[in-house]
Amino acid sequence: MENKRNTEQKRIIMSVLKCADHPTASELYEIIHERYPRLSRATVFRVLGQFADEGSVRRLSLKGSDTRFDAGLTPHAHCHCVKCGKITDVFEGPFTDILNTRSEGGYIVYSTEIEFNGLCPDCAAKVN
């Protein structure tokens, strides 16, 4: 039987993840460790995996990046800066209808991943 308890550790990890900007598991651990040094790296990694497996968070596999995690479950795409690595949520655009599709070709769509790669405004300004 799976352990679905909402422990203090799980609440801490989810709370910090919701405030973080698409962190890797290591980055999230570093943020958490500063405030909660008794929370182990293994616990953070295990709980993140559990959250992703149960659908509480999104696991992002972005090109050229370690796996990242996103607590935002509202359908959206991501812009990924190929220079600095910044990731920005995108909720609007011509693809919005596709993200919110309930059925496509007979399929019931549960999730989709759309990733735009390019330069963020800061990196683009340095190029010009």
Side-chain angles (χ1 to χ4, degrees), residues 76-87:
H76 64 281
H78 294 98
C79 281
H80 181 210
C81 181
V82 297
K83 186 161 177 83
C84 72
K86 179 179 179 177
I87 300 165

Side-chain angles (χ1 to χ4, degrees), residues 1 3 8 10 15 17 20 23-24 29-30 47 49 51 53 55 58 61 71 77 89 92 101 107 111 113 117:
M1 183 182 230
N3 184 355
E8 182 65 19
K10 288 181 179 181
S15 173
L17 179 61
T24 64
Y29 168 73
E30 292 301 324
V47 169
F51 284 162
D53 291 345
R58 292 170 67 177
S61 299
D89 292 331
E92 296 180 12
T101 298
Y107 284 85
S111 67
E113 295 297 329
N117 292 295

Side-chain angles (χ1 to χ4, degrees), residues 45-102:
F45 279 57
R46 178 179 43 77
V47 169
L48 270 178
Q50 288 174 353
F51 284 162
D53 291 345
E54 69 188 25
S56 300
V57 303
R58 292 170 67 177
R59 190 181 271 131
L60 303 176
S61 299
L62 303 174
K63 183 178 178 181
S65 176
D66 290 340
T67 299
R68 296 182 170 274
F69 296 87
D70 187 354
L73 299 179
T74 302
H76 64 281
H78 294 98
C79 281
H80 181 210
C81 181
V82 297
K83 186 161 177 83
C84 72
K86 179 179 179 177
I87 300 165
T88 304
D89 292 331
V90 180
F91 292 96
E92 296 180 12
F95 54 85
T96 305
D97 289 338
I98 296 168
L99 289 174
N100 292 309
T101 298
R102 292 273 179 203

Side-chain angles (χ1 to χ4, degrees), residues 94-123:
F95 54 85
T96 305
D97 289 338
I98 296 168
L99 289 174
N100 292 309
T101 298
R102 292 273 179 203
S103 176
E104 180 64 35
Y107 284 85
I108 297 173
V109 178
Y110 293 117
S111 67
T112 186
E113 295 297 329
I114 298 175
E115 174 187 354
F116 299 99
N117 292 295
L119 295 175
C120 69
D122 292 336
C123 291

